[in-house]
Amino acid sequence: LLLFFSGSMEPAFHRGDLLFLTNRIEDPIRVGEIVVFRIEGREIPIVHRVLKIHEKQNGDIKFLTKGDNNAVDDRGLYKQGQHWLEKKDVVGRARGFVPYIGIVTILMNDYPKFKYAVLFLLGLFVLVHRE
Amino acid sequence: LRKNVEDFTGPRERSDLGFVTFDITADILNGKKCMVFFLTCIHLQSIFDWNVKQLFLYLSAEYSTKNNALNQVVLWDKIMLRGDNPRLSLKDMKSKYFFFDDGNGLKGNRNITLTLSWNVIPNAGILPLVTGSGHVSVPFPDTYETTKSY
């Protein structure tokens, strides 16, 4: 599960949308797919679309990504001297999503009673599931 | 048309750079309509139903080279929102993104396949990738162009 924080994939996804991911290593990486990847040394993963792939016979692949809402590809975001992403950088593939889950956090901020209700329910949930 | 220039967006080696111009005529409507893509007629089921927020369309080139068994390069993309004119009639389009190969595999490559695909972005739910069933083969010449114009 992943929550969206930036606008680089608009208008498909907005801040607060919740994304469902899979991470089956056997799934081939192909252009058009939305992948979640991490840049070495950075904590926050990025969710962008695959723009270009070059795959060798043995399955080694290097690929380039770009946010739908960005004018340029992601090379500027990669590490110094890094021109491509590899399989090891991928943490997930976007398979589905639910919009505006972030609205819950907004409501929690604006309506403290709502926040307490949510926390109470979460607490119950944890208690019930703690075997 | 193809040149061999330094890939100035990436690694500092000379790689093949391809230039492709294309026409896209696509008719993506509700109901059984015709998608004409490079003179191939494809019938689509109704795509823009209540749960489709937008389509992310992209034209990609797929080919094989000595260096790499599989290469895919997106040449052009477009976001089509529900409510946008579903008929595309784009003539003489130039690719949006540079068609650089990883190496020199475009020279004399007779089998570059262009396909139009789209990612269905729902209001909520699964994100499928669909490939249109028409495709076009583009052969690249054996020689490099040295003209500067594009």
Side-chain angles (χ1 to χ4, degrees):
Chain A
L1 289 176
L2 196 88
L3 202 66
F4 265 97
F5 287 113
S6 84
S8 61
M9 282 298 280
E10 284 179 20
F13 309 117
H14 298 86
R15 301 164 89 128
D17 288 351
L18 191 71
L19 207 63
F20 293 100
L21 312 173
T22 58
N23 196 17
R24 292 189 291 264
I25 310 188
E26 334 78 75
D27 273 348
I29 297 173
R30 297 290 176 255
V31 291
E33 288 196 346
I34 302 172
V35 296
V36 185
F37 59 93
R38 250 203 211 98
I39 302 194
E40 251 175 89
R42 312 245 185 93
E43 229 186 70
I44 303 186
I46 303 176
V47 189
H48 282 171
R49 202 179 290 275
V50 178
L51 189 72
K52 211 170 180 253
I53 67 159
H54 296 289
E55 186 176 68
K56 302 233 181 267
Q57 191 88 34
N58 62 5
D60 281 349
I61 190 169
K62 54 190 190 191
F63 62 98
L64 182 64
T65 53
K66 174 179 172 295
D68 288 353
N69 206 21
N70 293 343
V72 296
D73 61 45
D74 291 342
R75 276 226 172 95
L77 295 176
Y78 299 165
K79 217 170 61 157
Q80 263 278 2
Q82 179 188 10
H83 300 286
W84 303 96
L85 290 175
E86 292 165 25
K87 248 186 250 184
K88 63 171 177 57
D89 301 311
V90 176
V91 292
R93 226 72 67 85
R95 296 291 179 219
F97 88 110
V98 176
Y100 310 128
I101 284 293
I103 200 86
V104 173
T105 43
I106 297 173
L107 283 177
M108 291 215 291
N109 274 326
D110 293 349
Y111 301 101
K113 287 216 185 104
F114 181 70
K115 176 161 78 178
Y116 298 136
V118 170
L119 288 175
F120 177 68
L121 285 171
L122 276 176
L124 268 184
F125 182 79
V126 168
L127 281 173
V128 165
H129 280 251
R130 231 176 27 174
E131 327 256 323
Chain B
L1 170 65
R2 202 227 27 234
K3 293 186 188 183
N4 181 283
V5 295
E6 212 172 280
D7 181 349
F8 44 82
T9 63
R12 292 247 157 267
E13 285 145 23
R14 293 189 85 84
S15 295
D16 282 359
L17 173 63
F19 292 97
V20 183
T21 56
F22 49 90
D23 298 339
I24 295 185
T25 314
D27 207 347
I28 307 176
L29 289 178
N30 285 324
K32 263 187 345 214
K33 288 298 171 170
C34 198
M35 177 169 133
V36 179
F37 174 55
F38 293 0
L39 309 174
T40 310
C41 203
I42 305 123
H43 290 276
L44 290 175
Q45 303 293 342
S46 96
I47 273 203
F48 279 109
D49 63 28
W50 62 275
N51 193 25
V52 173
K53 184 162 75 176
Q54 66 171 70
L55 296 184
F56 185 91
L57 299 150
Y58 55 101
L59 180 74
S60 57
E62 185 170 313
Y63 60 100
S64 223
T65 62
K66 233 171 35 167
N67 259 355
N68 294 292
L70 175 67
N71 303 276
Q72 289 182 330
V73 182
V74 173
L75 300 180
W76 170 93
D77 55 35
K78 178 179 172 58
I79 294 174
M80 182 185 272
L81 301 171
R82 181 148 120 246
D84 280 356
N85 186 358
R87 274 192 192 86
L88 287 179
S89 188
L90 309 163
K91 299 237 174 298
D92 222 17
M93 302 283 298
K94 300 199 164 46
S95 68
K96 220 175 175 188
Y97 306 109
F98 285 114
F99 187 175
F100 269 114
D101 182 35
D102 174 38
N104 302 314
L106 294 182
K107 178 177 176 180
N109 197 325
R110 294 270 172 260
N111 205 2
I112 317 266
T113 309
L114 298 183
T115 37
L116 187 68
S117 311
W118 55 91
N119 188 195
V120 181
I121 313 282
N123 283 312
I126 311 223
L127 297 155
L129 278 178
V130 182
T131 305
S133 49
H135 62 87
V136 172
S137 257
V138 173
F140 271 114
D142 290 329
T143 54
Y144 292 121
E145 286 283 331
T146 49
T147 55
K148 290 207 196 281
S149 66
Y150 173 33

